[in-house]
Amino acid sequence: MPDAGPDRATARKAIALLTGAAGFTEHRPPPSPLPPDGPLGWAGYDAARERASARTGEEESVLYGTGVVGDRACVLLSFEFGFLGGSLGRQTGDRLAAAYELALARRLPLVALVATGGSRMQEGMIALTQLQRVAAASVRLRAAGLPQIAVVRDPTTGGGWATVGAGADVVLALPGAQVGFAGSRVRPPDADPYAYSAEGQFEAGQVDAVVPADELTAAVTHWLRALGPHEDLPAAPVPRALSVAGAPVPRALSAAGTGAGAGTGAGAAKGSGAGTGPGAGTPSAADSGPAVPLPETGREAVARARDPRRPRAEAYLADYFAVRLPLHGDRSGSTDPGLLCGFGLRGDGQPVAYVAQCGTPTRPAGYRAAARTIRLADRLGVPVLTLIDTPGAANDAEAERAGAGAAIADTFAAVAAARVPVTTLVIGEGGSGGALALAAPDNTHVTVDSYFSVIAPELAAAILKRPPSETGATADQLRLRPQDLVDLGFARSIVG
């Protein structure tokens, strides 16, 4: 096994980096000695273990216990790469399983600081089957609604990456870390090393963030606050509408006050707190001004939604959250920059998961990332906010090869199965099923510069063999304006 390099933090230093002065209380599983030279009787194995212990001061390649990161109690486990390359043997498995069980018993999140070369060959199949133990322990923790965060250090390869690392809910990586299932000595000689790096795995959507060591404590603290565990969180408040200039729009229209008049937002779902984003609900000059007028025609509604000056998802998320924690990628090797996913903390500390379209056709990777986010939020009891803004799902040949239909279907299913409240705001274009997949069936709201339609009016006119001059009339027939959507019962209120 390779030795720990001089620049690699020890297991205890990695823990101390997160806990600081709060400290760490180590736990140990009940003693379970190995036979001489291990289960295979591998000559020299006992001597190698003794040398590793003398060099590192550790009894095994993993230590675990309880600690506090920021202001959040958690169970921490940390790999000691200097102990036989951080490899997993039977006693390592004992410690890993015990760490997960400790988190389960105390209902605490688990933070794993991973640095491992994989399974320990001197213990053969006994070592390899520890991966099954870890997977089973992780499943029990997941079923209990407790979050798992992995920080992958250098290196994180083999079965340790494929269980403790990649199996976590959130994967953070230190810059430059070697990360991948294939270790440096077993991969093809002409393999691109970038693919096995933290940065390469981030690009491929396998890592959520690459975090410098001096920012790690803050990042993990925010994630612990966002992921919980939580009890009975309220629905995500409906975001306030933003004007072209980025300022909040004052008033909301509801099902009780549709048409040209201004309502009071009474159609918002119970507990949604419509208009209570950071700064919303406080007196301002805008609060006494007139509401933004509704579009008079379907053509006008479409033009407003397509206006490049209209606020997009980034502006809404920045206004809504004090802290944003992105989830990156679909865990299948792809990303969609036109769809933003993650968790956030509002000004009052409330956690909300978000999925936000950015005005582009949503790709299969985006839908898979959305489904991943919604299911994680549902398991952890965190409410979900979706922002809809897409002309529709990507329809090119590559999207079809990447499984567009299955990805959209899975997103529909994730929303339909969610037990936590889902709040939706349509902030721009609502293009057919590719947009509807992210809409909450009973808690969708729309802005004054949005529309939603079964099909784009230009395409509808083409299908009906109408000339382009009749596109506007076709848009009117589709009843896609914000006020039409409320009248039809699709939307609960018009925000702004």
Side-chain angles (χ1 to χ4, degrees):
M1 296 291 178
D3 291 333
D7 57 341
R8 289 190 177 117
T10 66
R12 294 184 188 276
K13 285 183 179 179
I15 289 174
L17 177 66
L18 292 185
T19 60
F24 168 71
T25 302
E26 186 173 359
H27 289 240
R28 287 181 174 83
S32 180
L34 295 170
D37 279 332
L40 305 186
W42 188 289
Y45 180 44
D46 284 348
R49 287 178 54 87
E50 289 174 3
R51 289 193 299 271
S53 182
R55 183 171 57 249
T56 62
E58 302 298 346
E59 301 170 351
E60 247 301 341
S61 60
V62 163
L63 59 99
Y64 74 99
T66 55
V68 176
V69 179
D71 57 355
R72 296 286 160 161
C74 60
V75 169
L76 296 114
L77 69 85
S78 186
F79 282 75
E80 176 51 70
F81 190 77
F83 193 104
L84 301 180
S87 58
L88 281 74
R90 199 211 68 197
Q91 290 185 333
T92 321
D94 292 343
R95 288 169 174 247
L96 290 171
Y100 283 88
E101 291 304 316
L102 179 62
L104 185 61
R106 300 199 179 184
R107 290 205 54 79
L108 292 174
L110 183 133
V111 178
L113 309 173
V114 192
T116 174
S119 298
R120 191 172 298 168
M121 63 182 177
Q122 295 94 329
E123 294 190 25
M125 285 302 299
I126 300 301
L128 191 62
T129 58
Q130 302 312 305
L131 305 181
Q132 295 172 318
R133 292 182 70 189
V134 172
S138 176
V139 166
R140 288 191 292 272
L141 206 59
R142 191 172 286 119
L146 296 169
Q148 301 170 49
I149 300 171
V151 177
V152 293
R153 299 147 56 208
D154 183 45
T156 297
T157 61
W161 164 239
T163 52
V164 184
D169 298 318
V170 175
V171 181
L172 310 178
L174 291 177
Q178 180 188 167
V179 181
F181 186 65
S184 59
R185 298 184 183 181
V186 298
R187 67 182 66 139
D190 59 347
D192 178 10
Y194 183 73
Y196 304 86
S197 68
E199 291 75 11
Q201 295 285 10
F202 174 79
E203 189 174 304
Q206 308 291 359
V207 164
D208 292 306
V210 178
V211 184
D214 60 356
E215 299 175 13
L216 192 59
T217 302
V220 173
T221 299
H222 286 317
W223 273 113
L224 290 172
R225 289 172 180 166
L227 299 182
H230 304 292
E231 299 291 341
D232 299 324
L233 291 174
V238 179
R240 57 184 177 180
L242 301 179
S243 71
V244 170
V249 173
R251 291 153 63 182
L253 308 178
S254 73
T258 58
T264 61
K270 181 179 179 181
S272 68
T276 58
T282 56
S284 71
D287 289 332
S288 59
V292 175
L294 291 166
E296 295 183 0
T297 66
R299 183 191 291 275
E300 182 186 349
V302 173
R304 280 201 204 179
R306 294 176 180 173
D307 189 333
R309 299 169 299 170
R310 173 182 54 78
R312 306 287 166 149
E314 280 284 0
Y316 275 92
L317 293 175
D319 185 67
Y320 193 79
F321 289 112
V323 175
R324 275 171 54 195
L325 304 163
L327 290 171
H328 184 71
D330 65 354
R331 293 299 187 265
S332 296
S334 299
T335 62
D336 180 1
L339 188 132
L340 305 176
C341 294
F343 284 65
L345 297 169
R346 290 177 49 76
D348 60 1
Q350 180 186 352
V352 174
Y354 64 87
V355 176
Q357 292 171 316
C358 298
T360 59
T362 302
R363 306 201 64 79
Y367 290 112
R368 286 191 288 267
R372 173 197 167 203
T373 302
I374 293 165
R375 289 195 173 104
L376 176 59
D378 189 50
R379 176 158 53 81
L380 300 178
V382 177
V384 177
L385 169 71
T386 64
L387 301 179
I388 290 178
D389 183 12
T390 180
N395 59 5
D396 54 89
E398 181 56 36
E400 290 298 332
R401 284 191 290 267
I408 295 169
D410 196 41
T411 306
F412 270 115
V415 173
R419 296 158 297 179
V420 296
V422 180
T423 301
T424 297
L425 180 64
V426 186
I427 62 172
E429 293 194 79
S432 195
L436 188 67
L438 292 175
D442 299 313
N443 194 20
T444 291
H445 307 259
V446 292
T447 64
V448 293
D449 47 8
S450 69
Y451 78 89
F452 217 118
S453 178
V454 65
I455 189 172
E458 298 88 348
L459 298 178
I463 291 173
L464 296 171
K465 299 182 180 181
R466 295 175 176 176
S469 60
E470 294 189 26
T471 299
T474 304
D476 289 337
Q477 281 186 290
L478 288 168
R479 297 197 65 192
L480 48 71
R481 300 173 303 168
Q483 59 267 45
D484 295 326
L485 300 173
V486 173
D487 288 342
L488 291 169
F490 172 74
R492 298 198 65 152
S493 74
I494 303 172
V495 180

